[in-house]
Amino acid sequence: MEKITEQPSHFDNLEQMSVSELLQHINEEDLLVAEAVRKAIHQIEALVEAIEPRMKRGGRLFYIGAGTSGRLGVLDASELPPTFGVSGDWVIGIIAGGDEALRRAVENAEDIPEQGWEDLLAHHPTKDDSVIGIAASGTTPYVIGAVTKAKENGLLTGCITSNPDSPLAAASDFPVETIVGPEFVTGSSRMKSGTAQKMVLNMISTSLMIRLGRVQGNRMVKMQLTNAKLVDRGTRMLQEMLGLSYDEAQERLLEAGSVDGALSEE
């Protein structure tokens, strides 16, 4: 299989470039990412529409990946509870090598095909659950193994990859292929591929949270009030929506514990 993610950069002699040249050329490459994601919207749509009814039945969503891909999945999953007020075990990120791998590379963690499914089994998956494998190359054994076994056991499977017609896509029910081209630094898939993964994860999780009733209008009415900034944001939402003074809105917000709770008291 030819890997676009491993093809030589369109640029050479990087060490001879000025800082300005480096930044401009990286930005030129980054401009290609949004278009690559746009071309994959129909694939993303199919994946979201397949996951939604499962989550409405109580199913969970798992992201699984290694290295940068795994970190991005864990990041997206970890941001959903404070943003949308959901349980921390509704969307779960799993990374090869465990939590230690979030901060530093764990040697050979991604090369064991059986380990991905073993890590999923620790969460007692059911047939209402969905698994999205994340791997820029589409060839990571840990991720392919997890997705393959998940599909065999009746879970819905999807993936996010930056190579066309990859083994991971073939193993998935709903592949998402964002073909961003060679990286600025050859093979450094933390760059354009990672940016595309982040964009797609944002699209998947945000769309699902909206469809599952965690947004009203365009507001995060179920967000957790975990810091002063979010209390202020919630207060201003209630000010605008209910015509209250700032102090009245904040008092009502803190009593109810959320914007949604305060609105339900009306």
Side-chain angles (χ1 to χ4, degrees):
M1 173 192 150
E2 182 182 13
K3 296 182 184 178
I4 294 176
T5 51
E6 295 295 329
Q7 289 181 353
S9 171
H10 296 307
F11 301 87
D12 203 352
N13 302 311
L14 305 185
E15 72 279 8
Q16 297 176 22
M17 292 182 184
S18 68
V19 172
S20 177
E21 290 172 325
L22 289 169
L23 298 178
Q24 288 181 40
H25 291 321
I26 291 171
N27 181 244
E28 289 168 14
E29 289 291 281
D30 285 345
L31 291 173
L32 304 175
V33 177
E35 176 62 15
V37 172
R38 186 190 68 79
K39 290 179 179 178
I41 283 179
H42 66 288
Q43 295 178 326
I44 303 168
E45 178 185 4
L47 177 56
V48 170
E49 289 186 340
I51 293 172
E52 180 186 344
R54 289 170 170 258
M55 295 191 78
K56 283 182 175 177
R57 295 196 299 266
R60 296 165 295 172
L61 173 59
F62 292 93
Y63 300 137
I64 189 161
T68 297
S69 299
R71 294 182 189 102
L72 289 169
V74 172
L75 172 64
D76 192 77
S78 68
E79 290 177 338
L80 301 183
T83 304
F84 297 107
V86 297
S87 168
D89 61 1
W90 208 21
V91 180
I92 299 169
I94 299 173
I95 182 171
D99 286 353
E100 180 185 354
L102 292 172
R103 294 186 177 274
R104 60 181 182 180
V106 176
E107 190 172 353
N108 300 323
E110 67 178 57
D111 296 331
I112 306 171
E114 301 82 10
Q115 190 60 50
W117 178 241
E118 288 297 319
D119 290 347
L120 275 167
L121 281 178
H123 297 276
H124 308 290
T126 74
K127 291 184 178 181
D128 277 337
D129 293 336
S130 305
V131 176
I132 298 178
I134 313 170
S137 69
T139 61
T140 307
Y142 175 87
V143 180
I144 296 172
V147 168
T148 300
K149 291 295 290 184
K151 186 174 182 178
E152 289 175 0
N153 283 273
L155 282 73
L156 183 141
T157 59
C159 72
I160 305 170
T161 179
S162 294
N163 281 319
D165 305 317
S166 68
L168 178 57
S172 303
D173 297 311
F174 295 93
V176 174
E177 298 170 314
T178 54
I179 314 305
V180 297
E183 298 288 358
F184 181 70
V185 176
T186 298
S188 181
S189 55
R190 59 179 284 273
M191 301 186 77
K192 287 192 296 182
S193 292
T195 301
Q197 290 169 350
K198 173 61 174 164
M199 291 173 71
V200 173
L201 289 166
N202 280 348
M203 294 167 78
I204 291 170
S205 59
T206 303
S207 297
L208 284 170
M209 292 298 105
I210 292 169
R211 297 286 295 175
L212 294 168
R214 312 308 293 186
V215 171
Q216 182 174 322
N218 56 18
R219 297 177 176 88
M220 300 178 289
V221 294
K222 294 182 181 291
M223 66 184 180
Q224 295 177 0
L225 305 177
T226 54
N227 57 46
K229 177 188 74 174
L230 297 180
V231 170
D232 178 69
R233 180 185 296 165
T235 300
R236 294 182 186 281
M237 283 187 200
L238 289 177
Q239 267 193 289
E240 181 180 339
M241 299 169 81
L242 300 179
L244 303 173
S245 70
Y246 186 91
D247 289 343
E248 289 173 328
Q250 185 170 99
E251 181 179 358
R252 185 171 299 191
L253 175 68
L254 295 176
E255 286 178 356
S258 69
V259 175
D260 185 54
L263 291 173
S264 68
E265 294 175 356
E266 283 295 298

